[in-house]
Amino acid sequence: MRIQLNGESFELADGQTVADLLVRLDLTGRRVAVELNLDIVPRSQHGETVLRDGDTLEVVHAIGGG
């Protein structure tokens, strides 16, 4: 399936979850915000939120600083 990830086309296998995508992007364990089709996906739902062909995602990770 094909999704839009941060404005770019991205190919994924069918049935992948938000958590699977974060593993593939090497963002597991990092502080990230995930927006799926204009709705925020809570961290507690990453493992159960299945992605579908044509979904639009924005993934933003926090960067510390002062």
Side-chain angles (χ1 to χ4, degrees):
M1 77 175 148
R2 187 172 300 277
I3 62 170
Q4 286 291 114
L5 175 62
N6 294 343
E8 301 287 328
S9 183
F10 194 84
E11 192 74 30
L12 279 176
D14 289 343
Q16 298 287 290
T17 65
V18 170
D20 296 328
L21 175 63
L22 294 177
V23 168
R24 184 161 169 196
L25 297 174
D26 197 28
L27 293 174
T28 303
R30 297 195 184 176
R31 293 175 47 103
V32 296
V34 178
E35 180 184 274
L36 172 60
N37 300 325
L38 302 178
D39 291 318
I40 297 295
V41 179
R43 182 181 305 261
S44 62
Q45 294 179 10
H46 287 182
E48 60 195 51
T49 303
V50 178
L51 300 173
R52 307 205 186 291
D53 190 52
D55 279 347
T56 300
L57 283 99
E58 293 291 327
V59 178
V60 180
H61 56 90
I63 299 175

